[in-house]
Amino acid sequence: MVHLPTQISNGDSSFLFMEQHCLSLLNRCSSLKQLSQIQARLHFFGLHRDSYILSELVRFCAISSSKYFAYARTLLFRTQISRPSSWNFLIRAYASSHSPREAIWVFREMRVRGITPNNHTFPFIFKACTSITALKEGKQAHVDTFKFGLDGDVYVNNTLIHFYGSCRKIEDARYVFDEMLERSVVSWNSVITACVENSWFSNGIEYFVQMRGDGFEPDETTMVVLLSACAEIGNLSLGKCVHSHVIGRGLVVNCKLGTSLVDMYAKSGALDYAKLLFDRLKERNVWTWSAMILGLAQHGFAEEALALFAKMMNSSISPNYVTFLGVLCACSHTGLVQDGYRYFREMEHTHGIKPLLIHYGAMVDVLGRAGRLSEAYAFVKNMPIEPDPIVWRTLLSSCTARGVNDEEGVGDKVRKRLLELEPRRCGNLVMVANMYAEVGMWNEAADVRRVMRVGRMKKAAGESCIELGGSIRRFISGYDLEADYVNVYQLLDVLNLHMKMINL
C-alpha cells in the first residue's frame, strides 16, 4: 500500500511537493495495484490532468521491468497527452517487445490525434516494422519522414537502411544511403550490413573501400560484417587484410570479433589460423566453439571436430543448433551412423534443441553416405515436419553415388517425389538423367534430356573459383574466349598433357 497526504493546500509549493512526492512513489512502485492507487490519489487531488505527471506515468509503465504496456496505452488513449515523448516511450517499448505490431498501432493513433512525431519516433517504428517484415507500413512511415522534415536526419536514415536491408529491399537501402548528405560510421555499417546479409558481397566491400576513402574509421561492427563477407565468398586474402587492419587499429579482439575471425579462417580452409586464434581467445561463447567445430567437420577433420565437441561438453558452454550441425557433418564424413543417431536424439531430449530441416537433412546425409538407403528413406518418411526438396535431393545424391546398392528401388521413389515437388528444376533432371546413365538405362536418360530440351530448361553451368592476388577468379564449364582466359586454358592443356605423359 502506498500513502499520499490526505489533503493538499493551495499554493505552488504544495503542488510541487505533491508532484515530487508522486514521482518518488512511482520510482518505488512494484505492482499494478500500487500503480492504480497512485493514479486514484492523483484524481482525488486533481493532478490527473497534469501533463508532466501523466507523461511520467506513461514513461514508468513503458520502461518498467513489469511491462505495464496496456496500462500506459490506456493512459495515452484516454487522456489528452500531446507530448511526443510520451508516445515515443510506448512505441519504443512495444518495438522492443514480443508485440512489435502494437507499436505501429500506437503510431497510427498518434498520427490521428495530430501529434507530430520526431526523430525519436521513427527509428523505433522502423525497428518494429523490421521485426515483423512490415514492408508496406515501413514505406508509409518513410513517406512521413519527408512530411515532417526528418528525411535528412542521420539517426532516422540509419534505421531506415537497416529496415530495407532486413526486408531484402537492398536497392532501396542503397538509395537511402546514397542520398544522405550527412553520414556516420553507423550509416556505413548499416549499408555494408544490408549488402552482406543479402549476398551483395562485392557491393559491401566497395562501400568499405569508399568508407575509408571518405575518411571514416571502421569500428568493430564494420570488421565483423566484413569478415562475414570474406567467409561467405572464401576470399582469404581479403580476410587477412581485414585481420591486419584490426591489429593495426589496435582493436580489442573480444569474443564477438574473435569468433568472426575464427569463422572466416575456418570457412576459407585456413584451419591452422582458425585453431591458433581459437586457442588464443580468452573468452569463447557457443558461436566460437560452433564455428571451429563446423569448420573442422566441413574440411574433412571429422575426428578433430568430434574431439573438440567433447571438450566443449566438459566446459560451461552449452551447444546450440549450429554446434550439432557440425557434429552431424563430422559423423557423416566418418561413417559414424550410431553416433549420428545418438547426437541427433541428445540434441532434442538432452539439450532441448528442436531439430530444424537442416539437421534432418544432415542426418539423411549420415545414413546415405553409409549406403543405408532404405533406412534413410524411412527416416525421411517419418519426419515430424514436411521434408523440403533439399532433403529429398540429399537422399537422391546418395542413391546415385558409385558403389551404392539400391536393390529396394529407393532411388526411383525419391526421384518421383522430388520431381513432384520441383518438376522444372534443371538440377533435379540432370541428377535423374545421370542416375539412369549410371546403370546403363540410356534410353531413359535420353528421354529426360529430351524433356529438358523441349521445355527449354538449361542447367546453370558448373563453376569453380580460385583466389589469385587477392581477387576471385571464376571458371565456368565450357570454353571461354575472353582474352584474359586464353593463356590460362593453354596452361591447363599443357598440364593435362604432362599428367598423361607421366601416367598420373
Side-chain angles (χ1 to χ4, degrees), residues 184-487:
S184 65
V185 173
V186 177
S187 309
W188 291 95
N189 289 345
S190 297
V191 74
I192 293 171
T193 302
C195 290
V196 172
E197 289 184 348
N198 287 279
S199 301
W200 290 44
F201 302 115
S202 59
N203 298 90
I205 295 168
E206 286 173 9
Y207 275 121
F208 171 69
V209 174
Q210 187 182 342
M211 175 187 186
R212 297 295 315 283
D214 287 359
F216 287 87
E217 284 296 333
D219 60 8
E220 177 192 318
T221 301
T222 320
M223 299 306 181
V224 169
V225 176
L226 273 177
L227 288 169
S228 173
C230 296
E232 292 302 321
I233 62 178
N235 194 330
L236 181 59
S237 294
L238 182 59
K240 287 181 176 180
C241 181
V242 175
H243 190 182
S244 66
H245 194 81
V246 169
I247 297 170
R249 288 225 38 221
L251 294 176
V252 177
V253 181
N254 55 21
C255 184
K256 184 177 181 182
L257 188 52
T259 300
S260 297
L261 285 164
V262 170
D263 184 57
M264 183 276 295
Y265 281 120
K267 285 183 177 176
S268 301
L271 292 173
D272 288 340
Y273 285 108
K275 285 189 281 187
L276 183 63
L277 268 164
F278 179 84
D279 291 336
R280 288 186 176 182
L281 282 176
K282 294 181 180 179
E283 182 187 356
R284 306 173 190 139
N285 61 15
V286 63
W287 299 105
T288 321
W289 287 88
S290 298
M292 194 70 247
I293 291 170
L294 188 58
L296 288 168
Q298 289 179 331
H299 288 89
F301 296 90
E303 292 180 359
E304 288 187 43
L306 293 175
L308 188 61
F309 175 70
K311 186 177 178 181
M312 176 186 177
M313 295 307 296
N314 290 326
S315 72
S316 59
I317 305 295
S318 298
N320 65 7
Y321 70 97
V322 178
T323 319
F324 278 102
L325 184 61
V327 169
L328 291 174
C329 180
C331 292
S332 175
H333 285 286
T334 49
L336 299 175
V337 176
Q338 294 308 315
D339 284 337
Y341 271 128
R342 177 168 61 86
Y343 289 128
F344 190 83
R345 286 192 297 268
E346 287 179 358
M347 177 181 171
E348 182 170 12
H349 298 296
T350 304
H351 300 281
I353 303 170
K354 191 173 183 179
L356 304 173
L357 264 174
I358 193 170
H359 297 107
Y360 283 102
M363 194 62 218
V364 169
D365 192 51
V366 171
L367 296 168
R369 282 177 182 262
R372 297 162 74 158
L373 301 182
S374 298
E375 200 172 333
Y377 181 72
F379 181 85
V380 173
K381 294 294 288 183
N382 291 321
M383 282 171 54
I385 51 179
E386 186 67 25
D388 66 356
I390 296 176
V391 173
W392 290 109
R393 201 155 36 245
T394 301
L395 183 51
L396 186 61
S397 296
S398 299
C399 295
T400 57
R402 291 181 182 273
V404 172
N405 186 9
D406 185 16
E407 294 180 351
E408 297 185 23
V410 172
D412 284 333
K413 299 174 186 175
V414 176
R415 169 185 60 81
K416 291 176 182 177
R417 181 56 184 151
L418 185 57
L419 293 181
E420 286 175 3
L421 294 171
E422 294 180 332
R424 293 189 59 82
R425 191 178 192 275
C426 298
N428 295 341
L429 294 172
V430 170
M431 288 178 67
V432 171
N434 292 341
M435 185 177 74
Y436 285 136
E438 282 289 331
V439 294
M441 300 174 66
W442 304 110
N443 291 334
E444 287 79 358
D447 289 340
V448 175
R449 295 284 184 183
R450 191 177 302 111
V451 169
M452 292 179 64
R453 284 196 303 273
V454 173
R456 296 183 179 181
M457 292 179 279
K458 187 176 181 181
K459 184 180 181 292
E463 176 185 328
S464 61
C465 302
I466 186 173
E467 183 189 337
L468 187 62
S471 300
I472 300 294
R473 299 284 182 174
R474 300 170 63 202
F475 293 87
I476 300 174
S477 64
Y479 193 74
D480 194 327
L481 294 178
E482 287 191 32
D484 289 346
Y485 298 148
V486 171
N487 292 333

Side-chain angles (χ1 to χ4, degrees), residues 59-92:
R59 185 187 68 82
F60 170 80
C61 294
I63 68 172
S64 170
S65 58
S66 300
K67 299 181 179 180
Y68 302 132
F69 298 163
Y71 200 95
R73 186 169 180 165
T74 301
L75 282 172
L76 278 177
F77 283 29
R78 292 185 179 179
T79 60
Q80 299 299 317
I81 301 177
S82 59
R83 289 187 177 192
S85 59
S86 301
W87 293 81
N88 291 346
F89 283 134
L90 187 55
I91 290 172
R92 175 180 180 177

